[in-house]
Amino acid sequence: MSGTNDNRPDFQKMIKDSARKEWDYVLVYKLDRFSRNKFEATIHKKILRDNGVKVLSAMENIPDTPEGIILESLLEGMNQYYSAELSQKVKRGMRETRLKGYFQGGNVLYGYKLDGRKLVIDEIHSEVVKRIFEEFSKGICVREIIARLTAQGIYRNGKSLAMNTVYNILRCERYTGIYRKGEEVIDNMYPAIIPQDLFDSVQAILKTYQHGKNSIEVTYLLRNKLKCGYCGQSIIGECGTAKNGERKYYYKCRGRKMKLNDCKKSAMSKDDLEHLIIDTVISELKNTQAIENAVKYLMELQNKNGNENRLLNAYIKEQKDNERAINNIVANMERGIVAKATSNRLCELEARQEELERLILIEQSKQTVKITETQIRTFYEQALKYEPQMLINYIVKEIIMYDDRIDIIYNSPIIESPDDENRQGFVFNMKSVRLDKRLILIHFIVV
């Protein structure tokens, strides 16, 4: 352990045990083995001395005289200086190495390889990294990603990728080409494998993860999407064992399970409910007229929002008012009406004018990127090809459960748009199905 501090368990035990006064000396090879911090060394030697214990150096002959006090202080100061200087040189050398983009040693990150002192992209493994990020961003769970890679013979060190390894890859910012050391940001050490926007989207997904999101044995596709229509609590995945030993999986109201209220919402079979929701969503996506109505509605909504950028209009109005005020002040100054307050006001208006130009550009840039009709149609067409988990993540916002009906709330409209555009949600279609010998009424809701 480093001698630059006293955070050493055995050292602290030795200082404490000296109070027993069972021994007379602490023998060290050199004084820098005792401590390379002269202030801590002085404190600990004082404690030892009070307990009748003396520190002896095997390689440094320090006389027990007044001159010895000066010599000992000099040696301790030199030891601390040497340690501080060495640390400074090492840190400076490592920083210069980082700034040059050279690899600093240790394990090479998966997806890279060494070419001399520089890291370069490993073409084979980097493709695996890209695939992990892309599939996870589309809603595929880590366990499924690993299973797919293993099925295609992709291993690491002869074994399937571990879940911790995949999660570490997903959280590693160095794949974007950024390496952080303290407050330093180095962008020439790691060649970028993953684009920044993909990395940010993955981090956003990881932040939503909570303990227990996925069962160890089975994935609940509708987890975090279900809500009890009676008590408002979330509906969670549950499992149990029947008398014959068979495992049963179902969804149950959290309020009823935890006895948070008197909710009587009955549990529903996991497989039956998931199949019902997925089949229902797919059938609606196959409705050609529904897609056309969705495209029309979204385009109208986008154009309406673009025309009603109140913040941009406010900035433009303020810019015009400022311009008139500046012109008035300049005109007064040309007529000889000049005061200190006038000059200060002119500076304030000019500074605000520059700020307004920046804010207007920002708001205008938000309007330049618009979704086209083709992109909307492609989104819904591709949605039909998604795996169930991806389909639920992209299309469904929330599912409100009752015993006799289910309200499916979509992230975007896929059937008819409402007559009243100011309404935040509405029931636009209904379907009756039978589930567990009960008649279930399904509502499709647009938000």
Side-chain angles (χ1 to χ4, degrees), residues 209 227 269 371:
Y209 271 31
K227 182 179 178 181
S269 166
I371 302 175

Side-chain angles (χ1 to χ4, degrees), residues 109-121:
L109 195 62
Y110 186 79
Y112 296 96
K113 60 183 178 181
L114 271 176
D115 183 9
R117 298 183 63 187
K118 297 282 289 185
L119 287 169
V120 296
I121 295 177

Side-chain angles (χ1 to χ4, degrees), residues 43-228:
I43 294 172
H44 293 308
K45 285 182 180 179
K46 175 65 167 58
I47 296 174
L48 293 173
R49 190 180 301 113
D50 291 344
N51 292 332
V53 178
K54 183 179 179 180
V55 178
L56 297 180
S57 172
M59 299 301 294
E60 297 156 332
N61 186 16
I62 302 174
D64 193 10
T65 63
E67 291 78 6
I69 297 174
I70 297 176
L71 177 60
E72 186 175 5
S73 298
L74 177 62
L75 291 172
E76 289 175 346
M78 289 296 294
N79 291 335
Q80 184 171 354
Y81 166 77
Y82 169 78
S83 179
E85 183 189 35
L86 179 62
S87 175
Q88 185 183 60
K89 288 180 178 178
V90 171
K91 290 179 180 179
R92 182 170 62 246
M94 294 180 68
R95 182 172 184 272
E96 291 175 354
T97 300
R98 290 194 297 270
L99 293 177
K100 293 177 182 178
Y102 293 147
F103 184 58
Q104 292 189 296
N107 295 327
V108 177
L109 195 62
Y110 186 79
Y112 296 96
K113 60 183 178 181
L114 271 176
D115 183 9
R117 298 183 63 187
K118 297 282 289 185
L119 287 169
V120 296
I121 295 177
D122 184 323
E123 298 298 336
I124 297 177
H125 292 162
S126 63
E127 291 301 319
V128 177
V129 173
K130 291 179 184 177
R131 178 175 172 181
I132 289 173
F133 272 88
E134 290 171 355
E135 292 190 355
F136 186 80
S137 69
K138 293 177 181 178
I140 302 177
C141 66
V142 171
R143 188 180 297 104
E144 178 63 22
I145 293 173
I146 294 174
R148 293 183 177 188
L149 294 174
T150 303
Q152 295 181 6
I154 299 175
Y155 301 94
R156 187 182 184 189
N157 299 327
K159 299 180 180 179
S160 299
L161 273 71
M163 292 191 65
N164 285 343
T165 300
V166 176
Y167 276 115
N168 289 336
I169 289 175
L170 293 171
R171 293 189 177 95
C172 186
E173 188 182 20
R174 280 172 274 184
Y175 287 116
T176 65
I178 299 298
Y179 174 70
R180 300 182 187 274
K181 182 65 176 180
E183 296 181 355
E184 290 182 5
V185 178
I186 310 298
D187 60 1
N188 62 343
M189 184 183 299
Y190 286 87
I193 295 178
I194 302 300
Q196 187 66 47
D197 56 346
L198 177 58
F199 179 80
D200 292 340
S201 66
V202 167
Q203 303 316 299
I205 295 173
L206 288 173
K207 285 183 180 180
T208 64
Y209 271 31
Q210 298 177 356
H211 179 70
K213 180 179 175 64
N214 287 330
S215 168
I216 294 177
E217 299 178 355
V218 64
T219 299
Y220 289 86
L221 298 179
L222 305 179
R223 184 76 64 88
N224 296 331
K225 297 288 185 179
L226 297 172
K227 182 179 178 181
C228 178

Side-chain angles (χ1 to χ4, degrees), residues 324-388:
R324 284 194 295 268
I326 291 173
N327 292 336
N328 292 336
I329 292 175
V330 171
N332 290 334
M333 294 177 69
E334 290 175 347
R335 292 196 297 268
I337 305 175
V338 181
K340 184 177 181 180
T342 304
S343 300
N344 292 340
R345 178 57 178 163
L346 181 60
C347 292
E348 291 176 1
L349 289 173
E350 290 178 341
R352 178 57 179 169
Q353 201 72 345
E354 293 180 1
E355 178 68 10
L356 286 170
E357 290 179 2
R358 185 182 69 84
L359 294 173
I360 288 172
L361 286 174
I362 292 174
E363 291 302 317
Q364 287 176 340
S365 67
K366 294 178 181 178
Q367 293 183 306
T368 58
V369 180
K370 291 187 176 181
I371 302 175
T372 65
E373 293 185 11
T374 302
Q375 289 174 321
I376 298 174
R377 289 191 183 93
T378 302
F379 172 78
Y380 287 120
E381 290 171 1
Q382 292 295 324
L384 289 171
K385 303 175 184 178
Y386 292 158
E387 295 189 6

Side-chain angles (χ1 to χ4, degrees), residues 3-7 34-35 37-45:
T4 57
N5 59 67
D6 58 2
N7 296 327
F34 184 82
S35 177
N37 185 313
K38 66 177 182 177
F39 302 108
E40 291 181 354
T42 301
I43 294 172
H44 293 308
K45 285 182 180 179

